Amino acid sequence: MFSYRHAFHAGNHADVLKHLVLVATLKHLTQKDGPIAVFDTHAGAGLYRLDGDYAHTSGEAANGYLRLVAPGTPPASGPRPAGAAAPGADVAPALQDYLDMVASFNPAGSHKIYPGSPFILHRQLRERDKLKLFEIHPTDAKTLAANIAQLGAGRQIAVLREDGFEALRKYLPPPQRRALVLSDPSYEIKSDYPRLVATLTDAVARFATGTYAVWYPIIPRPEAHDLPRRLKTLANRARRGWLQATLTVKSSKIITDANGQEHRPGLPASGMFLINPPHTLRAALQAALPQLVERLGQDRNAAFSLEAGG
Ligand code: SAM
């Protein structure tokens, strides 16, 4: 049933958006002294090789992270996409923090390892903070446990082979009274969409002041289309602030070639939706997203959006 393997997608444009937002969010949350509990409901394998078979087969990182670090990264071809940064603009601090984060997993100048959310989260934690990682795929859960064991982090990190949608409720509210929850399902089954909304509705009811961060694909599927609207309704009903950031890198049109063969574009866009976002996040993304459009945009449809409410 679970065929999704994040190793094929590690470092793609969706990971860039998700992990940039994550780094900026946790940077803010760890400025306060009090300990924080961090939950990753869909953790993946934790570390990925960009020079391995999975990454080579998909080539997705080439149009994501690797494009950001390629010497003289060219701007998108053709007219500059809507919202793109001026060429030569200084690197926005949130983008620089993300690039520094990935670079810290690689010997100088090499780009062989891409850290998944568990390692990105752990890197920012202090000793007093705790991290719980849920991963249901047997192979990825085993790889994740082995990768995490190498950190020697002891009881600071728990790897749980459990359903992240189900398990979260057991831990909320956390004793620390401060929490960040990342929910990054693979959406390979339709029910992930309603389950995500149900999980967050329950989580916000249990612990209204937590920060909740959700990644979602922007694809022509009714459930995907409805998801941000449903998350906004959830946040508004709970009278919580929210922020939505999207990154589109190319057109979503299916192209038919001269032989009548249809070519699907792959994932053209994705979004991050946060409930109770840090107050610094909007400005950080306002500076960074145009630079992602400039550097990752593949055609004139490349664009970003940033909206906040509550
Ligand atoms: N968050 C990771 C990162 O940013 O590096 C990537 C996670 S990947 C998009 C989604 C993961 O969720 C997959 O590894 C998949 O096996 C796992 N998964 C799918 N359904 C799950 C569930 N109900 N509970 C926990 N993990 C699940």
Side-chain angles (χ1 to χ4, degrees):
M1 180 158 132
F2 292 105
S3 58
Y4 180 95
R5 310 298 301 280
H6 195 67
F8 287 108
H9 311 287
N12 69 1
H13 63 85
D15 262 9
V16 172
L17 173 69
K18 171 181 42 180
H19 294 153
L20 184 151
V21 170
L22 216 50
V23 170
T25 299
L26 205 47
K27 183 177 180 178
H28 178 86
L29 293 177
T30 50
Q31 271 166 9
K32 275 200 187 149
D33 275 348
I36 184 164
V38 179
F39 302 89
D40 190 345
T41 62
H42 295 70
L47 285 176
Y48 305 94
R49 291 207 70 97
L50 292 180
D51 59 352
D53 289 347
Y54 288 114
H56 275 156
T57 308
S58 69
E60 289 192 24
N63 280 322
Y65 169 71
L66 291 176
R67 193 155 164 172
L68 293 176
V69 292
T73 300
S77 55
R80 191 175 317 146
D90 286 342
V91 177
L95 175 53
Q96 191 61 57
D97 287 344
Y98 161 75
L99 293 173
D100 291 346
M101 169 62 75
V102 182
S104 72
F105 288 87
N106 287 283
S110 77
H111 305 292
K112 291 186 173 167
I113 302 290
Y114 189 82
S117 51
F119 278 73
I120 290 178
L121 292 166
H122 172 256
R123 221 5 106 81
Q124 292 174 279
L125 297 187
R126 293 92 31 108
E127 264 180 44
R128 55 192 176 279
D129 303 323
K130 292 268 193 285
L131 175 59
K132 285 200 179 5
L133 306 167
F134 304 98
E135 172 54 52
I136 211 168
H137 192 289
T139 312
D140 281 354
K142 213 168 145 193
T143 309
L144 177 64
N147 283 332
I148 292 293
Q150 289 188 24
L151 290 171
R155 295 178 59 183
Q156 186 186 30
I157 310 183
V159 178
L160 303 151
R161 202 181 134 193
E162 290 182 45
D163 182 327
F165 289 130
E166 277 300 312
L168 183 64
R169 71 182 65 201
K170 290 191 273 186
Y171 303 98
L172 297 179
Q176 295 88 342
R177 311 302 298 182
R178 299 182 65 225
L180 168 65
V181 176
L182 168 67
S183 209
D184 178 26
S186 39
Y187 301 97
E188 76 185 302
I189 37 179
K190 256 201 221 175
S191 57
D192 276 0
Y193 295 92
R195 290 192 78 204
L196 173 73
V197 175
T199 299
L200 285 188
T201 305
D202 176 74
V204 170
R206 285 171 194 275
F207 186 50
T209 54
T211 295
Y212 299 91
V214 172
W215 177 87
Y216 63 95
I218 300 179
I219 47 175
R221 184 173 190 162
E223 300 82 11
H225 186 260
D226 276 357
L227 185 65
R229 188 183 50 76
R230 296 184 68 187
L231 293 173
K232 273 179 209 170
T233 304
L234 188 175
N236 288 335
R237 282 202 183 133
R239 297 179 191 278
R240 295 283 125 198
W242 55 266
L243 180 146
Q244 182 187 16
T246 70
L247 175 67
T248 301
V249 297
K250 60 183 172 183
S251 162
S252 59
K253 276 204 185 112
I254 298 171
I255 295 169
T256 309
D257 67 19
N259 303 319
Q261 192 104 32
E262 283 192 348
H263 297 277
R264 296 186 177 272
L267 183 70
S270 72
M272 284 292 286
F273 190 92
L274 288 95
I275 299 174
N276 297 322
H279 68 86
T280 47
L281 190 60
R282 187 176 190 164
L285 296 182
Q286 190 66 55
L289 290 175
Q291 298 190 347
L292 292 186
V293 172
E294 175 78 14
R295 289 154 200 231
L296 300 182
Q298 295 176 35
D299 63 31
R300 58 192 312 158
N301 296 285
F304 74 93
S305 71
L306 192 55
E307 204 190 331

